[in-house]
Amino acid sequence: MSAEDDSALPAAATSDGLTAFGASLRAARLRRGLTLRELARRTHYSHSYMSKVENGIKHPSVELAQRCDKVLELDGELAESLTVRALTPAAVDAWPRPAQLPRGPVQFVGRTRELAELTAALLPDDRQAGVVPVVAVDGPPGVGKTALVVRWAHQNSHLFPDGVLFADLGGYGGDLQPPDAVLKVFLHELGIGGLPSGTGQPASLFRSFLHGRRLLIVLDNAADAQQVRALLPGAPGCAVVVTSRQRLSGLAVRDGAQRITLPPLGQADAVALLAEMIGRARVGSEPEAAAAIAGCCAGLPLALRLAGERLTNLPAKSLHAFAAELAAEEHALDMLTVLGDPRSAVRTVFSWSYLALAPADARVFQQLGLHPSAEFSTTVATAVTGLPPVEAERALERLAAAHLIEPVGPQRYRLHNPLRLYARERARA
Ligand SMILES: Nc1ncnc2c1ncn2[C@@H]1O[C@H](COP(=O)(O)OP(=O)(O)OP(=O)(O)O)[C@@H](O)[C@H]1O
Ligand SMILES: [Mg+2]
């Protein structure tokens, strides 16, 4: 039997399957920087046959897939994609279309620029062959990373005809999800959870399945780059958006992810969020006090929501009095705790990031909280902590990467008001 005999056809032979296989093959080949002729030479197939396979005109045999896997160092992905297709329903209509997105906030304010940035990054005009767009959104606790990403995903889910997968990776404050556990849920959602054991490792099975499909994958609350890496698709057509409190520099450097750091809401949007919650009339009658409350919450949507919630329950309270109480710093964190929901309390939300710090960094964070000014230079921080300058600088960098402090200029940082109160509280505890 010649290498080009395609009599041993796998059941992938629907026209969709052929096109998808060809597209995956081309993408992988381009990633390796090989011409079609070179690939044909190395796999011992003719150029014209290879070209027909890439263009979805000819059926690939398992052997062809295996040889391409070898030359392109794909770890069996192409061959496995044929198996997965053979074991799953061929008709596109028969695929379960996962729609795992949680509901986003009903009242959503601002973020026009960030939503546009997500669109530009995840739906590029010039879809580069072989590139899976990956965007990592990072930012401090409660700044609205999840809300932003979920919002974007709802607005654009129709552009991903094969569905949307969503997972909370539990990086901060949840149950940390190992990649294999997430993959198991994903495979189940995709209707291939019950494949016979030995069909393949979950990661390669997942990647094989994604060949030629268009899914959006939302990975919320990642602990680090490594947790995300195992969940990235290899073939084009899908897009991935990740959120994390950590700056996922490793994902940017090694996996070509684009990073977006989400800042707190600007003053106008912060007041608008308050108005959405407690009514425009109430905010309009005390605009200065409303602005002061927004300021105390440092533009953090989480803190603003808690303040709004509290005010809704105190309809007779003047915003002025509430702002004055908030400004009396001792009680601020208590006031932003919503009774009966410990998970939504600012203090709890912050503690998830704080408890992930190394003890030495936690100490630096506390010391910065006790410092009288919210903004400080590295020199001041060095003096405050009593550490050698290099060590102090490293600690500041790590705190900034965890978004517990915010860089505001060369060698200058700021501790947001709610986080500063929290740091003090930890220092006193
Ligand atoms: N743009 C927004 N408009 C209205 N509400 C928002 C907005 N962004 C966030 N929120 C609300 O603020 C709260 C915190 O937002 P979210 O959970 O998205 O923060 P996060 O950055 O993902 O926090 P964490 O680091 O804890 O995961 C939520 O109640 C969310 O609904
Ligand atoms: Mg979140």
Side-chain angles (χ1 to χ4, degrees), residues 105 107-109 141-147 245 273 301-302 305 349:
Q107 306 125 326
F108 187 87
V109 304
V143 79
K145 302 177 291 294
T146 304
R245 288 196 189 166
L273 178 51
L302 173 67
R305 277 217 173 266
V349 173

Side-chain angles (χ1 to χ4, degrees), residues 211-285:
H211 275 275
R213 296 184 203 287
R214 300 210 54 196
L215 275 118
L216 174 64
I217 302 169
V218 183
L219 303 172
D220 190 31
N221 198 10
D224 51 33
Q226 197 168 347
Q227 191 189 21
V228 170
R229 204 163 276 139
L231 301 169
L232 296 180
C238 296
V240 183
V241 57
V242 185
T243 79
S244 178
R245 288 196 189 166
Q246 276 288 343
R247 220 179 282 153
L248 299 181
S249 309
L251 211 59
V253 174
R254 276 189 47 194
D255 306 275
Q258 214 163 308
R259 283 203 309 107
I260 296 179
T261 297
L262 195 59
L265 291 174
Q267 179 76 1
D269 287 333
V271 172
L273 178 51
L274 267 187
E276 290 278 351
M277 294 194 72
I278 65 173
R280 256 159 245 187
R282 199 168 170 194
V283 164
S285 67

Side-chain angles (χ1 to χ4, degrees), residues 356-368:
L357 293 176
D361 292 345
R363 239 178 81 78
V364 172
F365 178 64
Q366 289 176 13
Q367 288 163 324
L368 293 173

Side-chain angles (χ1 to χ4, degrees), residues 395-413:
L396 292 174
E397 280 164 17
R398 284 190 297 267
L399 289 174
H403 291 287
L404 285 166
I405 59 175
E406 184 194 19
V408 288
Q411 310 277 308
R412 281 193 82 74
Y413 293 91

Side-chain angles (χ1 to χ4, degrees), residues 17-375:
L18 288 184
T19 317
F21 184 91
S24 300
L25 175 60
R26 176 176 298 121
R29 174 173 70 73
L30 293 176
R31 271 204 304 278
R32 287 268 153 213
L34 286 187
T35 61
L36 190 62
R37 197 167 295 285
E38 184 62 18
L39 179 64
R41 194 185 63 74
R42 293 211 209 162
T43 51
H44 308 289
Y45 283 89
S46 74
H47 176 253
S48 82
Y49 180 70
M50 213 42 148
S51 157
K52 285 180 185 138
V53 170
E54 264 203 12
N55 289 308
I57 298 164
K58 271 277 181 193
H59 298 156
S61 65
V62 173
E63 193 181 350
L64 174 137
Q66 284 168 341
R67 288 194 201 171
C68 291
D69 273 335
K70 202 158 168 208
V71 170
L72 301 170
E73 296 173 38
L74 287 176
D75 208 17
E77 223 171 283
L78 289 171
E80 209 167 90
S81 78
L82 294 180
T83 318
V84 171
R85 279 173 199 286
L87 289 168
T88 44
V92 172
D93 289 346
W95 294 106
R97 188 180 180 278
Q100 290 189 310
L101 276 183
R103 265 188 52 191
V106 184
Q107 306 125 326
F108 187 87
V109 304
R111 303 307 195 194
T112 318
R113 190 168 55 91
E114 287 82 6
L115 286 167
E117 277 176 21
L118 283 174
T119 299
L122 293 169
L123 303 168
D125 295 334
D126 55 332
R127 294 195 147 251
Q128 288 168 281
V131 175
V132 179
V134 180
V135 177
V137 178
D138 57 75
V143 79
K145 302 177 291 294
T146 304
L148 171 76
V149 160
V150 167
R151 177 87 174 175
W152 188 89
H154 276 295
Q155 286 176 342
N156 294 281
S157 61
H158 63 285
L159 299 173
F160 296 89
D162 294 309
V164 181
L165 291 169
F166 176 95
D168 179 354
L169 302 184
Y172 295 84
D175 290 330
L176 189 68
Q177 297 294 315
D180 271 2
V182 179
L183 285 168
K184 225 172 126 183
V185 176
F186 281 176
L187 289 173
H188 181 80
E189 280 294 316
L190 294 166
I192 48 175
L195 284 189
S197 63
T199 313
Q201 292 300 313
S204 65
L205 205 56
F206 180 60
R207 273 200 278 272
S208 305
F209 178 86
L210 294 180
H211 275 275
R213 296 184 203 287
R214 300 210 54 196
L215 275 118
L216 174 64
I217 302 169
V218 183
L219 303 172
D220 190 31
N221 198 10
D224 51 33
Q226 197 168 347
Q227 191 189 21
V228 170
R229 204 163 276 139
L231 301 169
L232 296 180
C238 296
V240 183
V241 57
V242 185
T243 79
S244 178
R245 288 196 189 166
Q246 276 288 343
R247 220 179 282 153
L248 299 181
S249 309
L251 211 59
V253 174
R254 276 189 47 194
D255 306 275
Q258 214 163 308
R259 283 203 309 107
I260 296 179
T261 297
L262 195 59
L265 291 174
Q267 179 76 1
D269 287 333
V271 172
L273 178 51
L274 267 187
E276 290 278 351
M277 294 194 72
I278 65 173
R280 256 159 245 187
R282 199 168 170 194
V283 164
S285 67
E286 290 185 82
E288 275 164 29
I293 295 171
C296 282
C297 294
L300 280 184
L302 173 67
L304 286 159
R305 277 217 173 266
L306 297 178
E309 187 76 27
R310 186 84 180 197
L311 281 164
T312 309
N313 294 329
L314 301 168
K317 189 154 193 113
S318 82
L319 299 191
H320 181 79
F322 188 84
E325 285 172 40
L326 264 184
E329 304 191 344
E330 314 308 319
H331 304 297
L333 284 173
D334 287 330
M335 294 203 39
L336 293 174
T337 300
V338 172
L339 289 173
D341 185 4
R343 272 185 66 91
S344 76
V346 170
R347 192 186 273 115
T348 314
V349 173
F350 292 166
S351 75
W352 298 334
S353 287
Y354 175 80
L355 295 174
L357 293 176
D361 292 345
R363 239 178 81 78
V364 172
F365 178 64
Q366 289 176 13
Q367 288 163 324
L368 293 173
L370 293 173
H371 182 64
S373 139
E375 215 179 292

